[in-house]
Amino acid sequence: MSVEDGGIPGLGRPRQARWTLMLLLSTAMYGAHAPLLALCHVDGQVPFRPSSAVLLTELTKLLLCAFSLLVGWQTWPQGAPPWRQAAPFALSALLYGANNNLVIYLQRYMDPSTYQVLSNLKIGSTALFYCLCLRHRLSTRQGLGLLLLMAAGACYAAGGLQDPRNTFPGPLPAVAASPMSLHITPLGLLLLILYCLISGLSSVYTELLMKRQRLPLALQNLFLYTFGVLLNLGLHAGGGPGPGLLEGFSGWAALVVLSQALNGLLMSAVMKHGSSITRLFVVSCSLVVNAVLSAALLQLQLTGTFFLATLLIGLAVRLYYGGC
């Protein structure tokens, strides 16, 4: 399996096992993000400022990267600090900042499962930027695999989850006393398309940047998240009056911040040593996690089309990586 195909050539079994575990953890965190945000709602609204969650997530990632360098988990490069190589990460931070804020704002215009399904449009945008910017041609099998991922998302959107209010027997548990129906507004759809385009561009640009620079991953992340903290600090300060930085935060909100920070670090490793296409498969496979959590926590009900979508995702993985 080549780097371009999303794997790591020449890995021994222990390292391959760690790589697989990292991808599984990232899949779980992606799938849990939208349901966790829904659990933060109070009277149907997010009780904290979205910019606060994004800023705290970026700050957590920055502190974790700095800690990694300080304790020697990754070696600081010899000679003068390569500060000039930090500048290109400003664009990455800008793209990621816009994307991360859109994720939270999107929750106002659609339910978590609809967001998770339709956000798979990023498969097409990422594959397009991947081929154009990295000049990597996909084989017929790989292209078909990506199309199957798109089909899985469409199949899931057609009825992978069902509003349980007419089918759930008896009273709902307290955590889901007000079950959330599947919905999306026209503005939500436009914002989602913008989100997918920015997601594809940010992913491919960051991959290109990280692979061209011969720097430790923790140092590259330090550059990226320094810009990210500065950008989001400005967005938070310029957002006008509103709740304080930690106002409205709960245990669920803290879990959202921590999981997103850890997942961001895992994805940076995928960009450095794998590819943006690997990230696509992680996001698509997270549909399964999202659906199971939505069924358990939000009382949405799985249907037969969910299992069909899961099968299509499995076939897509086999097609894309089976010949590697």
Side-chain angles (χ1 to χ4, degrees):
M1 186 183 296
S2 68
V3 170
E4 288 78 7
D5 292 325
I8 306 294
L11 283 186
R13 287 187 178 181
R15 293 187 64 191
Q16 186 66 56
R18 288 196 295 270
W19 176 257
T20 302
L21 177 60
M22 184 184 72
L23 295 179
L24 290 175
L25 285 174
S26 184
T27 300
M29 290 178 187
Y30 262 119
H33 180 55
L36 286 177
L37 275 178
L39 290 174
C40 296
H41 287 189
V42 176
D43 296 327
Q45 299 292 326
V46 176
F48 52 85
R49 292 176 67 177
S51 59
S52 297
V54 177
L55 174 58
L56 290 172
T57 299
E58 293 298 298
L59 184 59
T60 302
K61 288 188 282 190
L62 178 62
L63 292 175
L64 289 174
C65 292
F67 180 77
S68 175
L69 288 170
L70 287 174
V71 300
W73 289 347
Q74 293 199 31
T75 306
W76 186 274
Q78 296 180 351
W83 301 120
R84 290 184 179 179
Q85 298 187 61
F89 286 97
L91 178 57
S92 286
L94 181 63
L95 293 172
Y96 281 125
N99 221 40
N100 290 336
N101 280 280
L102 273 174
V103 168
I104 295 182
Y105 281 109
L106 281 170
Q107 307 304 313
R108 300 179 179 181
Y109 305 105
M110 66 191 72
D111 66 280
S113 293
T114 298
Y115 157 75
Q116 194 74 19
V117 170
L118 296 183
S119 65
N120 277 267
L121 289 171
K122 70 178 70 173
I123 295 172
S125 63
T126 303
L128 176 63
F129 287 122
Y130 184 72
C131 294
L132 292 177
C133 299
L134 298 180
R135 301 183 184 278
H136 179 69
R137 295 188 62 181
L138 300 176
S139 68
T140 302
R141 281 177 62 100
Q142 291 172 331
L144 183 57
L146 294 178
L147 285 176
L148 279 181
L149 283 186
M150 300 280 284
C155 177
Y156 188 54
L161 290 168
Q162 191 176 69
D163 188 335
R165 286 177 292 183
N166 298 323
T167 59
F168 191 86
L172 297 176
V175 71
S178 299
M180 188 175 298
S181 61
L182 303 177
H183 67 280
I184 184 171
T185 66
L187 177 58
L189 183 58
L190 289 176
L191 290 175
L192 187 74
I193 293 172
L194 178 62
Y195 162 77
C196 291
L197 290 173
I198 295 176
S199 176
L201 180 59
S202 61
S203 177
V204 172
Y205 174 77
T206 304
E207 177 187 348
L208 182 64
L209 195 57
M210 287 187 163
K211 286 180 176 176
R212 283 186 174 179
Q213 293 184 350
R214 296 181 178 274
L215 295 175
L217 177 59
L219 182 57
Q220 290 179 313
N221 281 335
L222 191 70
F223 294 154
L224 175 61
Y225 299 134
T226 297
F227 285 116
V229 168
L230 293 175
L231 172 66
N232 286 285
L233 183 60
L235 290 174
H236 181 78
L245 182 63
L246 296 177
E247 187 175 345
F249 264 72
S250 61
W252 291 118
L255 188 56
V256 167
V257 168
L258 181 60
S259 65
Q260 283 300 99
L262 293 175
N263 198 28
L265 295 176
L266 291 176
M267 280 295 99
S268 67
V270 170
M271 298 300 180
K272 181 79 169 179
H273 304 296
S275 75
S276 299
I277 300 298
T278 304
R279 178 176 176 270
L280 290 181
F281 278 91
V282 168
V283 174
S284 294
C285 290
S286 72
L287 281 175
V288 180
V289 178
N290 172 262
V292 171
L293 289 178
S294 293
L297 302 178
L298 306 179
Q299 295 302 305
L300 294 174
Q301 197 169 63
L302 302 178
T303 68
T305 52
F306 160 74
F307 297 101
L308 176 59
T310 303
L311 176 62
L312 290 175
I313 292 172
L315 290 175
V317 173
R318 177 61 182 172
L319 273 175
Y320 195 92
Y321 293 111
C324 299

